[in-house]
Each structure stands twice: as structure tokens, then as C-alpha cells.
Amino acid sequence: MVQYNKVTPAVIEALKGIVGEKYVITDGEKMLPYSHDEVTDSRYHHMPEVVVLPQTAQEIAEIVKLANRELIPIVPRGAGTGLACGAVPVYGGIVLSLERMNRILEINTDSLYMVVEPGVRTDDVQNAAREVGLFYAGDPCSGDSCFIGGNVATNAGGNRAVKYGTTRDQVYSIEVVTPRGDIVTLGGRLEKVTTGYRLDQLIIGSEGTLGIITKITLKLMPLPQHVVDLLAVFPDIDTAIGLVPKLIKAGITPTCVEFMDNVTIRSVERFLNEKLPHSENGHYVIVQVEGENEDDLDNKSVLLDELCTEHGALSVLVADPKKIWRARKSFAEAVRHESLIQAKEDIVVPVDQIPAMMREIAALSEKYGLATRTASHAGDGNIHLNILKGDMPDGEWDAKLDAFQHELYKCVYRLGGKLSGEHGIGYKRKQLMQEFTDPVELEMMRAIKKALDPNLILNPGKIFDV
Ligand SMILES: Cc1cc2nc3c(=O)[nH]c(=O)nc-3n(C[C@H](O)[C@H](O)[C@H](O)COP(=O)(O)OP(=O)(O)OC[C@H]3O[C@@H](n4cnc5c(N)ncnc54)[C@H](O)[C@@H]3O)c2cc1C
């Protein structure tokens, strides 16, 4: 491992010279929010030595060159809503916050694109597109707080990935400050390209380890005019989740297919203090579909209704979109309300293996006596499994969680799945990454990291160790 140098008073002065005195934070209390993301277990928190808030790619390039000269780690940070400790400075050093780079630079309504800085909130991207009658398809549940740059860095998914793909599918090009401090634009406003390696796609999802994203050109599309949200309620998890592969095959191309189990629905109900339909015994599958016109939407809704009913739904309702999506998006907060410490797993398996995976989760939960809550982007095989610590003593929790996770991921990989569908590996899943990834694949990743970041200064200690 590299022996990094400490941030000295001379380095602080140099940083002030680059971004201005006001935008260099060294006060302990003010740096505290930058020591963690949304992972609440304090064992994953680490203080930075300094936080800098640059406003341009040129300033960032100068900071990166300084960090290379001084051998000091740099951790890029968006809004800090991550769930993998990707933005946590595990070796101290510099946290580089993108929060001041928050401008929408251009919206082109003729050619359907938007150019943004990385610190724009995702909801603001969606709203700005909607205001001109257009649509930005990326839709993570944290949209009201996360930044678009963080979404690109983690390849965020979300609700609409079933139809529109993840963040990488919404991006035309990115401007990046490389780990050596060069500024480069990767990708282009092109519908197809085979011109060397797709380095834009390599940086997207690399969790701030291969470059700092400073500008993004996003794809826009016409705003869907005919949309309906259906709520199908099922008597048990097996029947509910068994519907998902059938839905995907039915040729309806849903926009979203979300699943919530009954304990989770009741947890959300308590948190919101609001009655939700069939919360006594129902498990939810929420399906959103878009139609070309009213008739097309009606036909799809009827087909969906038939499919759900044939498959054993207790009830199929047209949902109030505000209410149902508020319930779905409150999942994380509701669970946190129940137990401050939880393990948030982000399993992804082939869609046809979701039923088998859910059965395994139920069996493990019972075997280890650990309470679980599940909500899933079921249409793309992504299961958010929260394992609750509650008031279990630390030692017992650590031992049980470790055993649970090992059995869980053995099953995930046996079913053809992977560790994370959208939250990333960060620092939190690094050991599991080492354990479950093909050593050849890991070595290829390490070779790329070493080639692009020879001094290993950009977000070290994340995804894998070099
Ligand atoms: C309630 C809740 C719901 C969520 N729902 C979803 C969901 O539906 N789908 C989903 O995918 N995620 C979800 N998340 C996780 C999180 O919001 C996403 O991972 C999001 O993309 C992180 O964005 P951020 O701006 O907060 O990034 P941060 O947490 O600040 O950083 C995340 C990672 O990206 C890197 N990074 C950030 N900005 C840049 C940049 N400009 N250049 C290079 N690297 C950078 C950081 O170093 C870090 O490794 C949810 C989180 C919460 C708390």
C-alpha cells in the first residue's frame, strides 16, 4: 500500500491559492459531514484532513496535480447519499466536494440534450427537462438529494431502469479530470460509435477511482404523455415475485416494476403515519406503464390486470402515483427509523432467479434470527435487502451478519448474480468483492487503475486494494 503524506500547512496554503480561502475547510466540526455518506455504522466513518470546494475543472486539475506532487489522496464527493462508503476518505487527505459546480449549462430542445455540472441535484435535472416538455429518464429514489455527478460516478439505477436503463444509458459524454490532472472529454453526442475503447463508459460507474467528472451531456427525450401506475397486491412473497419474470416476458415493456414485502409496507406505513392499501396482509408489485396514446395505455392496463389476476393477485388497483411512489421512496428512511444500524445489501440476480433468491433470503433470515426488510427494483433483478441490527450486541451482530452475508453471496453467485446492482462496491463491500470476483477479472481492474492513476491518489481503498 502507498504511504501517503499528511496535508501540511503549505498544502493548505496552496489549496487556498487555487480555490480561494473561503472554499478550503479545515475546521473539525465543519468537516464532520464529509466523514461519512448514508452508511450509519460509525466504524465506516473517517475524517478528511481538508475539504476543498472548487468551482471549475481547471481548479480541480490543479488540485489533482498538487496531490500527485505531494502524494496525498483525493476523494471526490457529490451529495454524500451513497450507500457503499465510496465518498468516505479512508486514508484522510483531501475531500473534493463538487457542491459548488451546480449549474445547468444548456438545454437543447431541438437536439434533445442537456449539459450540466456534476453538482446539480437529480430532481432539478428532471424538473428542468419537464419544464420544457422533455424527459430525463434517470430516476434514483434519492433524486431529491443526490447529485447527477454522483449518479454518473456510481452508474445509479432506480425505478425506470427496466425500460430506460441505468445512468450510463442517459449519458452522451463526460468531461473528466484524469488522476494525473489532465482535462479530457470522453464520448460524444452520437447514437453509435466504434472509435477505440469506450473510455466514457469505463469512467461511468468507476466510483471516483478513475477520474473526476466535471461536466455531463445528458440525453433527453419527449415527455411520455400517457402513464399509469398499477398496484397489484399479493397474498405471499412467492406469488408476488413469481409474477415479475412473466411481466417482463409479456411484451408490455413496463417502465418500472417494484416489489415491497409486507413487513416493509407496514414499516413505511408506521413511518409515514398513513394507511396504505391492503397493508394487513398484502405484498406489493408496483408497475408503471406508458402508452403511445390513451387506447394503447388502456390495452396495456387490461393485459396487466389479467396477468396479475391470473397469477393470484388479491387486488389490482390504479394507484395514486404521488402516494404510491412516496411510500416506495420512503423505504430507506422507514427502515432506518426501525434500526439505525442496518446492512443494506444491493443484490442483483437474473430476473428469472428472483423467486429463488427471495426464498433463500427468507431461509437465511430465519436461520440467523435476523429481521429483514425487502424492497426491490424487481424488474431488473435488483433486490434491496436490509438486515436490521436493532439492539443486538455488536459482537453477536458482527458474527451473525458475516455468516449471513457469506451464505447469501454464495447463493447470489450460484444464481448468476453479483454483489451490487446500483449502489457500488465503495469501501463497504471491498472484502466481499475480493472474495467473490474472479481473480483474473480483479487483476484486469487493478491494471487499469495502475495505468491511469500511477500514484494511486484518486479515491484509494475503494472497490479493491492495489
Ligand atoms: C434514500 C436513498 C435512496 C437511494 N436510492 C437509490 C436508487 O434508487 N438507485 C441508486 O442507484 N442509488 C440509490 N441510492 C444511493 C445513492 O443515492 C446513489 O448512489 C447516488 O448516485 C449517489 O450520488 P451522490 O451525489 O450522493 O454521490 P456520493 O455519495 O457523494 O458519492 C458516491 C460515489 O461517487 C463518487 N463521486 C461523486 N461525485 C463524483 C464526481 N463528480 N466525479 C467522480 N466521482 C464522483 C464518490 O467518490 C463516491 O465513490 C439511494 C440512497 C438513499 C440514501
Side-chain angles (χ1 to χ4, degrees):
M1 193 63 228
V2 179
Q3 282 300 316
Y4 295 105
N5 292 321
K6 288 281 167 208
V7 173
T8 59
V11 170
I12 302 277
E13 284 312 305
L15 290 170
K16 286 179 180 168
I18 297 170
V19 296
E21 187 159 355
K22 200 170 150 196
Y23 301 113
V24 177
I25 305 172
T26 50
D27 176 80
E29 207 173 313
K30 290 190 180 140
M31 288 198 297
L32 203 58
Y34 299 91
S35 67
H36 61 86
D37 58 6
E38 284 289 324
V39 174
T40 44
D41 188 336
S42 59
R43 289 175 295 182
Y44 289 107
H45 300 181
H46 293 268
M47 281 297 277
E49 291 166 76
V50 58
V51 177
V52 284
L53 287 72
Q55 203 175 24
T56 65
Q58 286 70 23
E59 288 176 0
I60 294 176
E62 280 189 59
I63 296 167
V64 172
K65 284 180 182 155
L66 172 74
N68 271 294
R69 281 197 304 275
E70 301 289 337
L71 211 59
I72 293 170
I74 296 194
V75 179
R77 181 182 177 96
T81 68
L83 294 169
C85 309
V88 175
V90 288
Y91 296 109
I94 302 169
V95 164
L96 188 146
S97 169
L98 280 308
E99 66 202 81
R100 287 177 67 223
M101 296 180 66
N102 58 2
R103 291 175 305 160
I104 294 179
L105 301 172
E106 183 186 355
I107 301 181
N108 191 308
T109 53
D110 292 326
S111 302
L112 304 185
Y113 67 87
M114 184 189 298
V115 184
V116 294
E117 291 184 324
V120 179
R121 267 179 224 292
T122 310
D123 269 9
D124 293 339
V125 171
Q126 290 172 342
N127 292 337
R130 198 174 304 118
E131 273 164 27
V132 294
L134 295 175
F135 179 64
Y136 170 68
D139 187 32
C141 288
S142 50
D144 60 352
S145 46
C146 62
F147 292 169
I148 191 71
N151 294 173
V152 177
T154 56
N155 183 31
N159 306 315
R160 300 187 194 123
V162 187
K163 179 167 181 182
Y164 295 106
T166 55
T167 302
R168 67 169 75 254
D169 301 298
Q170 323 307 330
V171 174
Y172 274 129
S173 67
I174 47 177
E175 179 188 82
V176 176
V177 174
T178 71
R180 296 168 194 248
D182 298 312
I183 302 174
V184 62
T185 296
L186 303 170
R189 217 160 42 70
L190 304 166
E191 300 310 326
K192 63 194 288 193
V193 59
T194 307
T195 309
Y197 299 150
R198 287 294 303 270
L199 296 179
D200 52 335
Q201 292 294 337
L202 176 64
I203 303 288
I204 296 171
S206 67
E207 303 185 52
T209 62
L210 297 179
I212 302 175
I213 299 150
T214 49
K215 201 193 288 179
I216 308 147
T217 302
L218 295 165
K219 297 177 188 176
L220 301 177
M221 54 190 91
L223 193 62
Q225 298 296 325
H226 308 279
V227 183
V228 71
D229 294 286
L230 294 178
L231 171 62
V233 185
F234 289 87
D236 57 78
I237 294 182
D238 227 32
T239 323
I241 214 78
L243 170 76
V244 175
K246 295 198 165 83
L247 260 182
I248 301 297
K249 272 197 298 190
I252 305 166
T253 322
T255 316
C256 316
V257 181
E258 296 288 313
F259 166 77
M260 289 170 84
D261 69 13
N262 184 257
V263 269
T264 304
I265 293 161
R266 282 190 274 138
S267 167
V268 169
E269 204 175 36
R270 281 193 301 276
F271 174 71
L272 294 176
N273 195 19
E274 183 178 305
K275 170 81 182 109
L276 294 169
H278 293 275
S279 56
E280 321 71 58
N281 58 351
H283 303 265
Y284 288 177
V285 176
I286 308 163
V287 188
Q288 185 178 85
V289 268
E290 295 164 357
E292 300 284 310
N293 49 47
E294 283 295 341
D295 286 346
D296 182 39
L297 192 64
D298 284 349
N299 290 340
K300 284 180 174 166
S301 304
V302 169
L303 191 62
L304 267 171
D305 188 357
E306 284 171 2
L307 205 65
C308 296
T309 309
E310 260 170 41
H311 198 76
L314 295 172
S315 168
V316 185
L317 318 163
V318 174
D320 172 349
K322 271 205 182 114
K323 198 167 167 178
I324 200 66
W325 287 110
R326 194 158 88 94
R328 170 62 187 90
K329 291 184 179 189
S330 299
F331 163 64
E333 275 182 275
V335 175
R336 185 193 282 201
H337 216 65
E338 286 192 82
S339 169
L340 182 62
I341 309 248
Q342 337 102 18
K344 285 183 177 299
E345 309 303 324
D346 178 39
I347 300 160
V348 62
V349 292
V351 177
D352 59 2
Q353 298 300 331
I354 288 199
M357 194 64 241
M358 292 300 294
R359 282 193 287 275
E360 182 73 14
I361 289 170
L364 287 174
S365 168
E366 198 175 318
K367 176 172 172 185
Y368 290 102
L370 286 166
T372 57
R373 305 284 179 266
T374 334
S376 315
H377 303 303
D380 42 37
N382 188 194
I383 302 170
H384 292 330
L385 166 68
N386 285 9
I387 311 166
L388 276 54
K389 176 174 185 279
D391 51 14
M392 191 177 282
D394 285 353
E396 186 185 348
W397 164 249
D398 286 343
K400 279 191 171 177
L401 181 63
D402 189 56
F404 187 116
Q405 283 179 328
H406 278 87
E407 275 198 62
L408 179 77
Y409 286 109
K410 274 187 190 149
C411 175
V412 168
Y413 277 76
R414 201 170 56 241
L415 295 176
K418 301 247 184 219
L419 277 175
S420 172
E422 55 181 27
H423 296 161
I425 302 301
Y427 174 53
K428 205 179 87 176
R429 299 191 176 89
K430 195 171 64 170
Q431 299 308 333
L432 291 166
M433 178 83 177
Q434 167 78 28
E435 197 173 325
F436 285 96
T437 310
D438 183 328
V440 178
E441 188 182 353
L442 262 185
E443 215 30 61
M444 288 168 80
M445 291 191 206
R446 287 198 182 99
I448 292 169
K449 172 71 178 169
K450 283 190 262 187
L452 295 185
D453 184 8
N455 291 323
L456 305 178
I457 53 121
L458 198 56
N459 212 359
K462 308 298 165 58
I463 310 180
F464 47 77
D465 285 321
V466 181

